[in-house]
Amino acid sequence: MSDPVRCTIDVEVRYVETDQMGVVHHSNYLAWFELARTALCRQGGRGYHQIEQDGHWLMVTGAQLRYRGGARYGDVVQVECWIDDLKSRTLTFAYRVRRGEELLVSGATDHVWVEAGTKRLCRIPEALRPHFERMAGRPAEPVAQKQA
């Protein structure tokens, strides 16, 4: 097993994202996590839009954030994302938000695979499994061929 693929995006803090104290409101970090997560999936070869077009959703089932410092209006922060845990029906993305070398926030989001048409939980779609295994740092298992 190798290290997971990581994706880092830059986010410039907008005034609307700050609170009365001039610090980024805590809810905005989750939106930044989503930006980094969708960029990671796109970098891994299958963007969220394509996943949804193929009839699947990655439903968020949990979110954890740990605040160590605050970003302010005008700061440019780096949001890093990677797959921390991958199972047949669930996965966890991990995140770090930094301003330069300073760690501001760390966190994770938990997800389950859902068939969009039935809205039922499902296993990771076979066509997506190699993409996500590669991003998680695992050697991708061959996709099983259906017998005629």
Side-chain angles (χ1 to χ4, degrees), residues 33-43 45-60 91 93 95 109-113 128 132 135:
F33 286 5
E34 182 177 309
L35 289 172
R37 181 172 67 245
T38 57
L40 176 67
C41 289
R42 204 170 36 254
Q43 176 182 311
R46 209 69 182 150
Y48 257 55
H49 184 68
Q50 293 169 305
I51 292 168
E52 291 179 353
Q53 281 183 330
D54 292 343
H56 293 90
W57 296 331
L58 271 174
M59 182 185 297
V60 176
L91 68 153
F93 291 93
Y95 310 88
T109 54
D110 302 314
H111 302 257
V112 295
W113 288 99
L128 297 176
F132 280 83
M135 286 190 296

Side-chain angles (χ1 to χ4, degrees), residues 77-97:
V77 297
Q78 295 71 45
V79 184
E80 180 183 26
C81 177
W82 65 96
I83 294 176
D84 190 51
D85 188 36
L86 178 64
K87 296 181 178 152
S88 64
R89 298 176 189 270
T90 64
L91 68 153
T92 300
F93 291 93
Y95 310 88
R96 285 193 193 112
V97 179

Side-chain angles (χ1 to χ4, degrees), residues 9 11 14 17 26-38 65 79:
I9 62 166
V11 174
R14 300 174 301 168
E17 294 169 319
H26 63 272
S27 63
N28 290 294
Y29 292 101
L30 287 171
W32 296 353
F33 286 5
E34 182 177 309
L35 289 172
R37 181 172 67 245
T38 57
L65 292 93
V79 184

Side-chain angles (χ1 to χ4, degrees), residues 11 16 36 63 65 99 121 126 131 135:
V11 174
V16 71
L65 292 93
R99 180 180 46 226
L121 300 181
E126 283 300 312
H131 296 283
M135 286 190 296

